[in-house]
Amino acid sequence: MSQTNISYKQPLLETPFHEKTREKCYAHDWHKWAGYKVVKQYTSAELEYTAIRNTAGVIDITPMHKYSVQGKDAKKFINKLITRNIDNIQPNQVVYALWCNEDGFLVDDGTVFCFDENNFRICSGERNLNWFEDTAIGFDVTIEDISHSIAALAFQGPLSCKILHMLNANKIENLKPFCFDQFTINNQEITISRTGFSGDLGYELWCDPSQAHEVWDALFSFNKDYKILAAGLDALDMVRVEAGFIVVNADLIAAEHALRPNRMRTPYELGLAWMVNLDKEFFTGKEALIKQKNKGVEKKLIGLDVQGDKPAVGSVLYDGSKKEIGIVTTAMWSPTLKSNIAMGYVNKEFIKLGSKILAEIYHPEELEYRKIWAQCKVVKKQFLNLERRNAVPALI
Amino acid sequence: MSKYDVIIIGGGHNGLVCASYLSKKGYKILILEKNEKLGGLVNCASSLNGFSSKILGDLNIKLPKLNYNSYIVALHSEQQHTILQENNNKINFIKSNANEENQKKFSSLINKYKIYASTLSNFMYEVPPRLKSGKSKDTWQLINMGWKIRKLGKKNMREFLRVIGLNIADDLEDNLRDNTLMGLLSHEAILGSNLGPRSPGSILSLLYKQAIQNGLFASEKYDFHQLIPSLEKNCLDQGVEIKNNANVKKIITTNNQATGVILDNEEKIEAGIIISNADPKTTYFDLLGTEPLDTDFIRRAKNIRTKGNIAKLTITLKENPLIINIEKEKMNAKFIYAPDINYIERAFNASKYNKYNENLCFEFHHCVNVIVANIYYVPYVKNNTHDKEKLIQHSINLLKPFISNLEIENAELITPNEIEETYNVMGGHWHHGDFEIDQMLMMRPFYGSAQYTTPIKNLYLCSAGTHPGGGITGINGRNAAKKIIRDKI
Ligand SMILES: Cc1cc2nc3c(=O)[nH]c(=O)nc-3n(C[C@H](O)[C@H](O)[C@H](O)COP(=O)(O)OP(=O)(O)OC[C@H]3O[C@@H](n4cnc5c(N)ncnc54)[C@H](O)[C@@H]3O)c2cc1C
């Protein structure tokens, strides 16, 4: 593994796809992610974004943290860890999950893969081994960090299924959203899940590092006719905002990282109430979440439709009388929606859909800022809802 | 309806005290004790220094007072022992190698500690306030605690706040020259805790102990052997049921509420309130199980430090022992061998790495021809890997130079590991958990579990692991009972 090549001269790890991604990374714009070097932009984020929404994009997500959870109590352990109930989870199913600390504040989110009753995998953006191990005390489970032993690609976009189909991935079009299975492409047996961070039709491909190059090359084998592109993390960030997905440590500070307690957030404040199952016998944070549910939130993460075309990056939000009522966490011009969108926190009086507020935008214009007071309307966080995302059979 | 209102897991002295207070309020109580004998760690102890007279009064128990003057003998390797006498909380020199100036300084140092200790002792009988509760009662109590410290006066308060974080060795070396006296005070500061004389906080541990036991050496006031039988009788008289050889395997909970216990033999007994006299870690991890506990809570419970370091040596001699250079009438003394700060610190250093060196410290009493000694630092080691025969021999070698007629009929030693096994006390720890600033008062046993309560409704703690801490005082049991009575009205 490339891990062994780490030194002071080369302090970041290279993923098994590195040779391939380096070839295409004209911009030489790298991002540090969990000790790895991955591409931020290959050429331009907008171009790569366009590929994800119109053909397909290939994103190296190997640095994602992956934990294997095995043992007699594996399911029981996960049910204690996360806020949802996975009692009815079936093999080959994936669920999106949140886990909270005792005060109900989000520690992280991620996906839980079920291989069988006693064998699960959890993928997450932050490191969680410590939290998992402490949660597992008293349970018959073994938790192992397998991050480095699995190479992973996100393959997202309307043509993703078609290309996998052309690669003879058997009946890939019938794979339901949030399910996974074993498939053979280019003679490599790999795991493919219908999951992703784009809010579009898309898959995630999981393989052994030794298979990485074969898998990568396979995806690009029809590029004479179908222009799919390697996409960087900037493009991925654009599509996830349109889909209304949150990023821990961008839209909120993880409970284990926050220095200031009022920067942590509960699922209710994140608008993720549907992820919390208070009927479950026990999970960490249950008491606190019951209390908050009864009391109601003080502020909440909402979507904003912002007037004009200048992204409200970092804007402070005000009510009609210019009293401060919130802050924007992420903002962008959405090329697909042709609108100026943002996510942010507002006080409880303004969380109703349709509420009118003001954003104070400082738009940079060649060494000067133009200050804009933009009208905003509170809208659903899921700005873009594409039918093809969940269609079965998928588009081929 | 269950037959009992309350089940107390463990018949240690705190469990018995708690039962006595609660039964006075009419609760129907069952005590379940793992061992044949009641008393728990009291069976390891050799003297009754700090049992609360207030509790004896409340429960109307008359323990025979001992009517002799107790001596404290600091043993000296060249038999030039130092002899002190503690009388009505005052310490007199009977014999010492220290010059007059040093003796005076020693006395004034002890007076200083006494003032601070009495400030702390105000807190002992109180349920410590809950941090962050937002209740005005808790806030007031915190302010009140601060006020009591403020009442020391500006100069004393400053000195108090300076000293509580210090290590005892520094303060002693600043004030004294006599090795034996410094060793003696160090011994009192660290005995039972996982500290050396140079560990930060060792002064606080001395003050705290003084505050609980109401005196420095707190020489034996009551007849030790009468305590447990008297408490037992008191319980039985009030209708408390006591079941021996009843090892509780699990606490049963439904909907985050304790409802009963299951014994080793699978017998199930129900009650509305469950009180654990087992140490907090054992209670949470073994008896309750981690399932209904938040991860952060488990983390804090996991981090309580409970590594014991005292082995108990009992030797039966052919005749009553004679100590070289000690007159017969002073033989009821507490004998201490902790000759100087560096000697103690070296013994402590080895224990940090789970080893022991042959130069250990000890204290002992004798009763007729039986010597009962606490030998430290003998660390708790994973998998109980101590070579016991060797350890016994080393311990006897330590005592040998001082006893002129050491003809041994029988010698027994129990290591911290064996204490853990017999009494179900994690790490075999004297106090059910280290006694340091982060594990005291409202932080005892740890944040989120203070005030004798637990996250499980109707499950309470009453052991030495709670505020104010270990030793044979009965205060934990009393405070827990008061808290329960208050909760239930
Ligand atoms: C070697 C040694 C010497 C000591 N010497 C002195 C001394 O000289 N002077 C002094 O003041 N202090 C001394 N101490 C400290 C003192 O003995 C203890 O701090 C005190 O006795 C603790 O009392 P307790 O009632 O809180 O707990 P314990 O005495 O530990 O009582 C707990 C009881 O619960 C029982 N139990 C635990 N789990 C279960 C279960 N699952 N089911 C049923 N029963 C259970 C145990 O058997 C035990 O009887 C000494 C301690 C040690 C280890």
Side-chain angles (χ1 to χ4, degrees):
Chain A
M1 256 240 55
S2 49
Q3 259 187 89
T4 46
N5 301 333
I6 198 163
S7 77
Y8 75 95
K9 283 186 185 157
Q10 194 182 325
L12 289 179
L13 300 173
E14 292 173 352
T15 79
F17 300 104
H18 187 74
E19 261 176 54
K20 299 287 174 186
T21 55
R22 191 186 52 201
E23 250 171 44
K24 294 187 188 296
C25 188
Y26 305 117
H28 235 288
D29 194 355
W30 301 91
H31 181 75
K32 186 169 114 185
W33 179 12
Y36 281 96
K37 178 161 128 181
V38 283
V39 176
K40 200 160 174 288
Q41 294 191 87
Y42 286 88
T43 49
S44 96
E46 284 75 16
L47 190 65
E48 294 149 32
Y49 162 91
T50 308
I52 297 176
R53 286 282 180 244
N54 293 291
T55 59
V58 181
I59 306 138
D60 182 0
I61 54 166
T62 304
M64 177 116 78
H65 297 284
K66 313 166 204 87
Y67 302 95
S68 120
V69 178
Q70 296 194 26
K72 201 166 89 332
D73 289 340
K75 195 169 178 179
K76 225 163 96 187
F77 155 76
I78 293 174
N79 253 336
K80 175 177 176 175
L81 173 77
I82 66 172
T83 57
R84 282 177 93 168
N85 192 342
I86 58 156
D87 269 346
N88 296 324
I89 198 169
Q90 298 298 321
N92 288 29
Q93 214 185 325
V94 186
V95 295
Y96 172 54
L98 311 173
W99 42 101
C100 296
N101 73 1
E102 61 180 346
D103 298 317
F105 294 125
L106 207 71
V107 173
D108 201 1
D109 64 349
T111 43
V112 178
F113 288 66
C114 173
F115 294 92
D116 63 55
E117 283 281 301
N118 308 324
N119 186 2
F120 292 80
R121 183 186 298 164
I122 305 179
C123 298
S124 63
E126 298 297 324
R127 286 194 169 80
N128 278 288
L129 189 62
N130 205 267
W131 185 260
F132 291 172
E133 287 197 324
D134 285 346
T135 305
I137 292 174
F139 289 80
D140 185 355
V141 285
T142 322
I143 295 162
E144 202 190 331
D145 185 343
I146 50 169
S147 304
H148 300 301
S149 54
I150 296 173
L153 289 177
F155 186 40
Q156 307 276 309
L159 291 188
S160 55
C161 185
K162 187 180 184 83
I163 285 168
L164 291 172
H165 173 72
M166 291 196 295
L167 287 168
N168 295 325
N170 190 21
K171 302 217 172 80
I172 183 79
E173 65 278 14
N174 290 338
L175 188 67
K176 293 191 195 120
F178 284 101
C179 285
F180 68 94
D181 218 329
Q182 293 294 109
F183 294 90
T184 309
I185 59 169
N186 205 9
N187 293 324
Q188 306 296 322
E189 194 181 325
I190 62 167
T191 305
I192 300 181
S193 57
R194 190 164 165 190
T195 47
F197 212 47
S198 63
D200 213 311
L201 171 61
Y203 299 86
E204 284 169 330
L205 282 53
W206 315 87
C207 66
D208 190 86
S210 64
Q211 301 172 304
H213 289 187
E214 304 283 339
V215 173
W216 177 276
D217 287 342
L219 297 180
F220 290 92
S221 40
F222 305 102
N223 253 25
K224 202 154 75 63
D225 301 316
Y226 303 99
K227 271 280 175 215
I228 69 159
L229 285 185
L233 295 182
D234 279 359
L236 186 63
D237 198 54
M238 292 174 74
V239 287
R240 73 94 187 172
V241 177
E242 289 179 334
F245 294 144
I246 56 161
V247 169
V248 174
N249 288 336
D251 297 303
L252 71 142
I253 307 297
E256 291 283 277
H257 296 200
L259 302 175
R260 301 165 182 84
N262 63 357
R263 305 302 200 271
M264 309 178 204
R265 294 291 177 261
T266 69
Y268 295 115
E269 292 168 335
L270 294 166
L272 294 170
W274 63 278
M275 297 276 293
V276 182
N277 184 331
L278 293 176
D279 300 331
K280 204 161 66 160
E281 169 113 8
F282 187 82
F283 61 87
T284 294
K286 182 178 170 189
E287 282 296 306
L289 289 173
I290 290 177
K291 269 194 207 135
Q292 186 172 62
K293 185 172 185 213
N294 293 338
K295 214 173 120 221
V297 295
E298 288 299 314
K299 53 166 130 353
K300 192 174 166 187
L301 189 69
I302 44 89
L304 287 174
D305 185 354
V306 186
Q307 182 193 35
D309 58 3
K310 307 289 181 271
V313 177
S315 288
V316 177
L317 300 169
Y318 297 85
D319 68 2
S321 59
K322 303 228 170 136
K323 195 180 120 221
E324 204 179 307
I325 55 141
I327 191 152
V328 166
T329 60
T330 330
M332 66 178 275
W333 169 259
S334 161
T336 303
L337 293 161
K338 305 277 179 292
S339 57
N340 194 11
I341 60 173
M343 283 198 264
Y345 292 99
V346 292
N347 292 349
K348 60 179 177 204
E349 297 81 13
F350 299 88
I351 58 187
K352 241 179 76 194
L353 293 185
S355 302
K356 295 250 183 315
I357 54 187
L358 288 171
E360 184 187 27
I361 302 173
Y362 284 82
H363 185 66
E365 285 180 346
E366 301 183 319
L367 296 183
E368 274 187 27
Y369 283 107
R370 179 148 62 96
K371 181 164 157 180
I372 304 164
W373 283 100
Q375 283 279 355
C376 314
K377 197 171 82 184
V378 174
V379 296
K380 267 196 170 161
K381 245 188 356 240
Q382 189 185 13
F383 300 97
L384 182 65
N385 191 1
L386 295 165
E387 216 170 286
R388 62 180 181 241
R389 176 185 174 200
N390 291 324
V392 184
L395 201 68
I396 43 176
Chain B
M1 268 303 287
S2 45
K3 208 169 139 204
Y4 305 101
D5 303 320
V6 177
I7 288 174
I8 299 183
I9 304 170
H13 82 286
N14 277 318
L16 294 170
V17 167
C18 189
S20 302
Y21 274 92
L22 288 176
S23 65
K24 282 211 308 194
K25 291 279 169 186
Y27 286 93
K28 187 88 190 69
I29 300 167
L30 173 67
I31 297 179
L32 297 167
E33 167 56 48
K34 165 180 187 267
N35 290 304
E36 173 80 44
K37 244 171 110 181
L38 293 176
L41 291 185
V42 172
N43 297 307
C44 292
S46 48
S47 68
L48 190 55
N49 351 67
F51 199 84
S52 157
S53 339
K54 183 181 162 98
I55 292 176
L56 291 178
D58 282 354
L59 300 178
N60 212 354
I61 292 177
K62 299 216 168 26
L63 275 188
K65 274 211 174 189
L66 296 175
N67 56 1
Y68 53 70
N69 294 323
S70 335
Y71 297 95
I72 297 102
V73 176
L75 296 168
H76 186 273
S77 52
E78 275 145 39
Q79 316 296 349
Q80 305 294 316
H81 312 311
T82 297
I83 308 178
L84 306 178
Q85 189 181 33
E86 192 176 35
N87 216 342
N88 286 330
N89 231 337
K90 227 177 109 50
I91 290 164
N92 301 314
F93 281 88
I94 308 291
K95 190 168 160 277
S96 171
N97 306 321
N99 61 24
E100 205 168 320
E101 192 198 337
N102 255 289
Q103 295 189 10
K104 261 207 196 116
K105 282 204 167 151
F106 181 81
S107 302
S108 70
L109 198 58
I110 283 178
N111 282 338
K112 176 175 97 174
Y113 291 158
K114 210 188 298 175
I115 296 170
Y116 299 158
S118 68
T119 301
L120 283 174
S121 71
N122 290 313
F123 310 139
M124 297 305 142
Y125 287 93
E126 282 172 29
V127 175
R130 190 172 277 267
L131 294 175
K132 253 177 50 178
S133 79
K135 287 194 188 133
S136 59
K137 187 181 147 280
D138 290 325
T139 313
W140 269 114
Q141 211 181 329
L142 263 176
I143 292 171
N144 196 20
M145 288 167 82
W147 173 239
K148 278 175 181 151
I149 294 172
R150 188 66 190 83
K151 268 205 317 204
L152 282 168
K154 200 166 174 184
K155 198 163 147 249
N156 270 333
M157 178 182 78
R158 216 186 283 144
E159 177 67 5
F160 175 74
L161 294 174
R162 179 184 79 88
V163 151
I164 53 170
L166 282 186
N167 67 67
I168 185 99
D170 278 358
D171 207 36
L172 294 175
E173 284 168 350
D174 278 353
N175 289 288
L176 300 175
R177 290 286 165 273
D178 185 80
N179 278 337
T180 311
L181 293 179
M182 292 198 271
L184 188 63
L185 278 182
S186 299
H187 163 86
E188 287 304 325
I190 58 179
L191 182 71
S193 211
N194 224 327
L195 299 171
R198 298 200 189 279
S199 310
S202 42
I203 294 196
L204 182 60
S205 133
L206 177 70
L207 299 180
Y208 208 83
K209 229 154 80 184
Q210 239 178 309
I212 299 177
Q213 60 190 26
N214 205 5
L216 184 57
F217 299 100
S219 335
E220 205 151 353
K221 289 192 205 81
Y222 301 107
D223 187 355
F224 168 68
H225 302 282
Q226 295 303 315
L227 175 71
I228 296 300
S230 309
L231 286 172
E232 180 182 7
K233 182 168 177 302
N234 191 274
C235 285
L236 293 174
D237 287 350
Q238 295 189 71
V240 176
E241 277 180 50
I242 300 177
K243 218 171 164 169
N244 309 73
N245 300 318
N247 191 16
V248 173
K249 195 168 76 176
K250 266 262 112 38
I251 296 168
I252 313 170
T253 60
T254 2
N255 287 331
N256 251 17
Q257 182 164 336
T259 54
V261 299
I262 299 179
L263 301 185
D264 249 357
N265 61 7
E266 302 301 330
E267 189 186 345
K268 203 167 143 181
I269 312 176
E270 293 183 337
I273 297 172
I274 312 292
I275 306 169
S276 176
N277 186 195
D279 69 286
K281 239 173 161 166
T282 302
T283 305
Y284 287 125
F285 288 117
D286 298 347
L287 301 181
L288 180 64
T290 50
E291 247 174 85
L293 299 173
D294 285 333
T295 303
D296 320 57
F297 188 91
I298 294 169
R299 268 190 182 172
R300 290 193 294 265
K302 185 183 88 174
N303 291 340
I304 317 178
R305 300 179 301 280
T306 53
K307 198 176 116 185
N309 55 29
I310 298 196
K312 179 107 239 159
L313 175 71
T314 312
I315 28 188
T316 313
L317 302 178
K318 269 224 170 82
E319 304 159 23
N320 292 3
L322 295 170
I323 308 282
I324 297 166
N325 278 349
I326 297 290
E327 296 103 330
K328 251 209 175 105
E329 79 266 11
K330 299 203 174 82
M331 277 303 295
N332 61 27
K334 165 151 104 174
F335 297 92
I336 295 168
Y337 185 66
D340 63 71
I341 290 175
N342 290 341
Y343 178 96
I344 310 173
E345 189 70 21
R346 262 180 238 122
F348 171 60
N349 280 344
S351 81
K352 284 194 272 192
Y353 305 103
N354 299 327
K355 299 204 166 63
Y356 73 90
N357 75 22
E358 290 178 27
N359 299 320
L360 297 164
C361 310
F362 61 85
E363 62 164 23
F364 70 85
H365 279 88
H366 89 98
C367 183
V368 210
N369 60 336
V370 181
I371 289 179
V372 202
N374 291 329
I375 316 270
Y376 67 101
Y377 299 83
V378 179
Y380 172 85
V381 282
K382 263 199 179 142
N383 311 327
N384 200 3
T385 45
H386 282 309
D387 179 343
K388 259 197 58 183
E389 286 313 307
K390 230 163 136 185
L391 191 53
I392 292 182
Q393 202 46 54
H394 284 153
S395 304
I396 292 173
N397 290 348
L398 288 168
L399 295 175
K400 206 181 250 163
F402 305 105
I403 304 175
S404 56
N405 56 345
L406 195 74
E407 280 182 76
I408 298 174
E409 290 208 314
N410 185 30
E412 266 175 58
L413 181 135
I414 44 177
T415 61
N417 290 70
E418 290 162 316
I419 295 174
E420 170 181 79
E421 200 182 314
T422 312
Y423 300 104
N424 231 358
V425 176
M426 200 73 79
H429 199 291
W430 176 298
H431 294 286
H432 287 196
D434 273 0
F435 211 41
E436 286 163 47
I437 193 150
D438 62 325
Q439 300 192 164
M440 276 183 188
L441 291 165
M442 46 272 195
M443 305 286 274
R444 190 167 183 90
F446 54 91
Y447 170 63
S449 175
Q451 285 199 332
Y452 311 96
T453 58
T454 67
I456 304 301
K457 226 176 135 216
N458 294 339
L459 174 64
Y460 291 85
L461 304 176
C462 77
S463 89
T466 61
H467 170 77
I472 307 164
T473 66
I475 304 176
N476 319 69
R478 171 204 174 266
N479 285 3
K482 293 272 172 195
K483 168 75 181 154
I484 292 163
I485 292 164
R486 209 182 318 146
D487 278 1
K488 297 299 159 192
I489 334 173

